[in-house]
Each structure stands twice: as structure tokens, then as C-alpha cells.
Amino acid sequence: MQGGDRGLVLLVPVLWGLNFPATALMLDHYPPFLAATLRFVLMAIPAILFVPFPQVRLRWLIGTGLGLGVMQFSFLYLGMATGMPAGLASLVLQASAPFTILLAAAFLGERLTPLRLAGIGLAVLGLAIIGAARAQSAALLPMMLTLLAALGWAVGNICSRLARAPKPLHLTMWMSIVPPIPLYLLSLLMEGPRIAPALGGAFTAAAMPANLGLLYIVVFATVLGYGIWNTLMSRYPASEVAPWSMLVPIVGFSSAWVMLGERPRLLELAAGMLVIAGVVLASRTAARQ
């Protein structure tokens, strides 16, 4: 990965790590499926009005929207709404990197070299240590929902890679037209009585933190974060880009500590260094091949 792109790929974990406390604030007011619907409606409207349609096959646009939009955020928001702490969610979601590498090997023919596997293995070990240390903080159901969200992210990564969009930001914006309808139908089915009170109180002072969280998620975590991510996915093998997402928990734990009082333990901080070392190893070996 070239020097400028390495700086961009380091910015993404910061944007996405701050996304988790922002999500926790948003879910204090909006139920999870409605929150996910609002997230993508706020992206879809300007995309349709102002952004040219991306020069990609429709099936990869739909696949990216279903994976990154519907699967990832319906499961993630539901998991956090049912008890997954923000910091721990930022960790478990990074299972998307191993999922992406395995899917890339299966469907894109990308090589699983021993050094790349060693780097991923080291990062996964760090994640596993943090997960074991925090396991008592979340029940089984929120953990499983977040793992399903990670699988959805991986599916979206592969579809984004296959799309090979000449202008990835256009893909990032237009994939947002896919999730609103299925997410709203899920919201009607599972959250029906909660929709009207949430929307009716959206402009009250009590909802202001939730709205600021939603604004951050749309502008910084989604448009900017996924715009950079999809750009890098179009330039480099998925197995070279995906490991960098494992740095998200470092920012996620730190921001959840500052904003939500979720204090990380010393063991978790030490394990975070393993994550960083594994990401660096995996990306360097990928760049040499």
C-alpha cells in the first residue's frame, strides 16, 4: 500500500471507532431498525439528487447495500440495543476482517500466504484476549448478533471489491438506496408502536444527543469512512485492506471510555498492541506480494 493510502487507511479506524459511542447515543432515543433506516435515508436523498449513478453492475451495487447496509447495521444496532457495550461491539465487529479474507480466498482467488495468515492470526489472538476479558459484559445473543453484523460487513466488502467502481464515493452514496425499504419493513414489523413516539420526539432537547450521534454516523462514519474504505478496496486486494479494520477497537474502547465510562482493563490494552502488530504484519506482507 502506497504512503498516502496508508495514511487514509489509518484515518478510517478513527472515524469508525468514534462511530460506536455515537451509535450508543443514537440508540438511546431511536429503536435499532428505525435508526438504521434513518441513517440510510439521510444518505439516499442527496445521493439520488446530486451524485451520478456509479458505473458498476447493478448486482454489485445491491450486494454492497445488502451486506454493508442491511445485514451489518440491522444486526449491529439490534445487538447494541439488546446489551452489547459500545467498546465490545467495536471489537467483535472486527471479525469482518477474517471473514473478508476467507471470502476473498473463496470467491476472488486471493492467496492465503503463511505470513499473511500469521499477521491475521496475531491480530485475531489480540481480539480473542480482549473478547475473553470482556465476555462477562455481554450475553450470548448480543455477541452472536454482532458476529452476524461482521459477516454482513465482509459480504459488502467482497461486493464492493467486485464492483470495481471508478469513483468509489459514488458507490458509497448510491448503495444507501438499497437498505431503507427492507430496514423500514423490519422496523414496522418489530418496532411498530415505538416508531411514532421516536419520530414525534425527534426535535426535542432530549433527542439532541441522539441526533448529533446520527449526524456523525451519516457524515463521518459512513460518507467519509466508507468512501475512503471503498476507494482502497477498489485499489488493493481485499485481504490487504481488511486487516486495518482491526484497529477500530482501539479507538472504540478509548472513545467509549471517555464518552460512556466504559473503562478498558490493562489486559485489554496489552491485547490491543497485539492487534496493531498483527495488522502491520499482515499489511506489509501483503504489500510485498
Side-chain angles (χ1 to χ4, degrees), residues 28-83:
D28 281 341
H29 180 79
Y30 298 104
F33 293 120
L34 178 61
T37 302
L38 293 173
R39 171 189 184 133
F40 287 103
V41 166
L42 290 175
M43 288 181 59
I45 293 173
I48 294 171
L49 293 177
F50 303 112
V51 180
F53 189 84
Q55 298 175 15
V56 301
R57 292 189 177 183
L58 184 60
R59 61 183 176 181
W60 302 130
L61 173 66
I62 294 174
T64 303
L66 290 176
L68 293 180
V70 179
M71 287 184 64
Q72 180 180 188
F73 291 106
S74 61
F75 286 124
L76 175 62
Y77 289 179
L78 187 58
M80 293 182 68
T82 54

Side-chain angles (χ1 to χ4, degrees), residues 17-254:
L18 293 172
N19 172 69
F20 290 90
T23 298
L25 293 174
M26 179 180 65
L27 293 175
D28 281 341
H29 180 79
Y30 298 104
F33 293 120
L34 178 61
T37 302
L38 293 173
R39 171 189 184 133
F40 287 103
V41 166
L42 290 175
M43 288 181 59
I45 293 173
I48 294 171
L49 293 177
F50 303 112
V51 180
F53 189 84
Q55 298 175 15
V56 301
R57 292 189 177 183
L58 184 60
R59 61 183 176 181
W60 302 130
L61 173 66
I62 294 174
T64 303
L66 290 176
L68 293 180
V70 179
M71 287 184 64
Q72 180 180 188
F73 291 106
S74 61
F75 286 124
L76 175 62
Y77 289 179
L78 187 58
M80 293 182 68
T82 54
M84 176 65 77
L88 187 57
S90 72
L91 161 67
V92 176
L93 193 63
Q94 302 323 306
S96 65
F99 284 150
T100 297
I101 289 173
L102 292 175
L103 291 177
F107 296 103
L108 303 181
E110 295 185 7
R111 295 174 57 202
L112 291 174
T113 63
L115 287 176
R116 181 174 292 167
L117 286 173
I120 294 299
L122 187 61
V124 169
L125 175 62
L127 293 173
I129 292 173
I130 300 174
R134 300 280 296 194
Q136 68 272 20
S137 300
L140 180 60
L141 178 60
M143 293 281 288
M144 295 303 297
L145 289 170
T146 310
L147 281 172
L148 288 172
L151 179 60
W153 186 0
V155 170
N157 282 341
I158 298 303
C159 291
S160 173
R161 174 68 174 164
L162 288 169
R164 300 184 183 278
K167 296 183 178 180
L169 181 59
H170 292 181
L171 174 62
T172 300
M173 295 298 295
W174 270 89
M175 71 94 176
S176 65
I177 70 171
V178 177
I181 292 178
L183 286 172
Y184 185 63
L185 291 176
L186 285 171
S187 183
L188 283 176
L189 179 65
M190 302 184 68
E191 304 165 345
R194 302 170 60 191
I195 294 176
L199 293 178
F203 297 102
T204 63
M208 185 60 65
N211 292 332
L212 290 175
L214 177 60
L215 181 65
Y216 176 86
I217 290 166
V218 171
V219 176
F220 294 97
T222 304
V223 176
L224 185 56
Y226 277 103
I228 295 172
W229 187 257
N230 287 337
T231 298
L232 296 175
M233 278 287 179
S234 70
R235 293 177 182 173
Y236 302 99
S239 53
E240 182 175 348
V241 179
W244 289 91
S245 70
M246 290 186 181
L247 297 178
V248 171
I250 309 302
V251 181
F253 273 123
S254 301

